Amino acid sequence: MRSLITVTLTALSLCACADNAATLAPQSNDNVTATTLTDGLHHPWSLAFLPGNEWLITERRGTLRRLVEGSLQEDPVSGVPEVVAKGQGGLFDVMPHPDFADNQRLYLSYAKPCGDNGGTTAVGYGTYQDGALKDFRDVYVAEKACTNTAKHFGGRILFDNDGYLFVTVGDRGERERAQNTADPAGSVLRLHDDGRIPDDNPLAGQSGKAAAIWSWGHRNPQGLALHPDTGKPWLNEHGPRGGDEINAVAAGINYGWPEITYGREYYGPGIGDTKQEGLAQPLLHWTPSIAPSGMAFVTSDRYPDWQGDTVHGALKLTHLNKVAFDGRKPLSEVRLLEDRGDRIRDVRQGPDGYLYLLTDSSNGALLRLETSL
């Protein structure tokens, strides 16, 4: 009962803020530069930092690359699962377990083969050491989200401070699925690290529901980060033609897609409404679209004027996007590195405090962001 009351109050709070969705007038900032640390990456998707100055980079085609002491290794990591590398599908996120130093567990999300030449979003882990991933096993496979459409997989993963695993699943290009809580498509999932479903998930114990769902009504979330103060996940997600969003993810909340959106059909007409009672408004929407992917909160002293700001890769408008917030209220938006024309797929704050970026290209690069501020 307490869980139900909490979800209800959260929903009321979010819906009470229905007039607060914002789109900002973006500014430019030329006082930043990006240093290329390595290139030759094939459509890199995600970056993880391991102990011992080893970094791992996923490539969408299904390879996991090693950067050891700053040097890109020729041989990829062995033991990576088979992926569906077509369209937007492939190898997605990489993340060490919070207790990686003790258990060596390395998690991957990916497009898993299913059905008749189809694919779906899956996440699993293996034991990683010295360039080898052993005994990989799936902890969750979104079987009901299996389809032959090679788009909108989501695929970001994140551990919160309590050790829960969050996974984003896109609507698979079939928008109505995002409103079907029997189907994990178009949702954020919350799991234990071994794939068990927590008893306090909002739909747990409800007949016919996908109990792993934490929130739903999402289109294609490809950025996921923990708020440094609240410890709660925020995400960015792709809209259609306009209507990209930043959302603070809460249990049992319906974020509206496709019933509400600030985007339009690619061929012009509107889609549903922009507001509707009972459906959460985004904290911010980008209209026109920037195509956000990757997200981080800045907490490093390397960027003292950016403390608490969010940063997002932009694939369509090819820049690094920075949004400052006062609580949940967006204050300003700045577009960085516009002159480079890079499709930025991922952004991470490294253990040394610098922001690191991956560019989405057949000759993708790992960049370090530096500023004179």
Side-chain angles (χ1 to χ4, degrees):
M1 177 61 73
R2 178 177 297 174
S3 176
L4 178 60
I5 292 172
T6 300
V7 168
T8 302
L9 290 175
T10 303
L12 290 172
S13 172
L14 286 170
C15 295
C17 297
D19 293 329
N20 289 348
T23 184
L24 301 173
Q27 308 296 313
S28 295
N29 183 342
D30 297 328
N31 295 319
V32 295
T33 58
T35 299
T36 300
L37 302 184
T38 191
D39 56 12
L41 300 166
H42 193 273
H43 294 285
W45 214 93
S46 180
L47 169 68
F49 307 100
L50 302 184
N53 201 17
E54 179 174 358
W55 300 359
L56 298 177
I57 299 171
T58 59
E59 294 178 321
R60 198 175 65 215
R61 62 184 173 183
T63 46
L64 181 59
R65 306 295 302 275
R66 305 174 68 203
L67 200 71
V68 179
E69 299 288 344
S71 176
L72 183 66
Q73 305 300 292
E74 182 177 352
D75 293 332
V77 172
S78 62
V80 173
E82 178 187 359
V83 308
V84 177
K86 65 178 182 179
Q88 297 171 3
L91 185 58
F92 301 136
D93 224 342
V94 54
M95 182 160 290
H97 189 278
D99 297 324
F100 178 84
D102 296 324
N103 61 27
Q104 304 298 113
R105 283 190 188 179
L106 186 71
Y107 285 73
L108 298 172
S109 60
Y110 66 106
K112 181 182 179 69
C114 65
D116 184 14
N117 296 318
T120 192
T121 305
V123 60
Y125 73 85
T127 302
Y128 177 78
Q129 189 173 19
D130 297 330
L133 189 62
K134 298 180 180 179
D135 302 320
F136 186 88
R137 69 203 73 179
D138 291 323
V139 299
Y140 184 88
V141 180
E143 293 182 359
K144 286 189 175 181
C146 179
T147 176
N148 287 335
T149 61
K151 60 183 179 181
H152 297 188
F153 289 90
R156 287 292 175 194
I157 57 178
L158 176 72
F159 282 100
D160 73 2
N161 296 328
D162 295 318
Y164 290 108
L165 175 64
F166 289 83
V167 183
T168 71
V169 183
D171 69 2
R172 304 309 323 282
E174 299 171 345
R175 62 183 61 169
E176 68 280 356
R177 302 177 72 168
Q179 290 298 315
N180 180 3
T181 52
D183 184 343
S187 67
V188 176
L189 313 178
R190 177 179 178 254
L191 307 165
H192 289 293
D193 62 359
D194 59 2
R196 289 177 299 116
I197 297 172
D199 293 338
D200 60 348
N201 271 12
L203 303 180
Q206 297 187 31
S207 178
K209 303 296 185 181
I213 290 178
W214 185 249
S215 64
W216 63 96
H218 301 286
R219 185 171 181 267
N220 190 23
Q222 290 194 337
L224 194 61
L226 279 189
H227 192 285
D229 296 327
T230 68
K232 303 299 183 183
W234 285 28
L235 62 75
N236 65 41
E237 57 185 292
H238 292 258
R241 184 180 174 186
D244 299 343
E245 296 182 358
I246 299 177
N247 285 301
V249 183
I253 301 303
N254 183 347
Y255 289 86
W257 171 256
E259 298 298 316
I260 61 171
T261 177
Y262 289 86
R264 306 181 69 82
E265 300 283 9
Y266 289 108
Y267 58 91
I271 304 172
D273 303 317
T274 56
K275 300 175 185 177
Q276 195 176 120
E277 185 176 356
L279 303 180
Q281 285 283 294
L283 304 183
L284 175 141
H285 65 94
W286 287 286
T287 303
S289 293
I290 68 167
S293 181
M295 177 179 179
F297 283 91
V298 182
T299 59
S300 167
D301 291 338
R302 300 278 189 188
Y303 316 93
D305 295 336
W306 298 2
Q307 295 289 304
D309 293 357
T310 63
V311 285
H312 313 259
L315 297 167
K316 180 181 179 182
L317 295 191
T318 60
H319 66 274
L320 181 67
N321 193 282
K322 184 175 75 69
V323 180
F325 283 85
D326 180 6
R328 291 171 175 256
K329 181 180 179 181
L331 299 178
S332 64
E333 176 187 346
V334 179
R335 299 186 174 182
L336 311 166
L337 305 179
E338 292 177 286
D339 59 327
R340 291 181 59 96
D342 289 323
R343 286 169 49 88
I344 297 177
R345 171 63 71 179
D346 199 15
V347 52
R348 305 278 175 165
Q349 183 172 287
D352 58 1
Y354 281 109
L355 291 173
Y356 292 91
L357 319 176
L358 291 174
T359 66
D360 181 34
S361 165
S362 58
N363 183 25
L366 171 66
L367 311 178
R368 183 177 62 220
L369 189 72
E370 294 163 355
T371 174
S372 60
L373 295 179

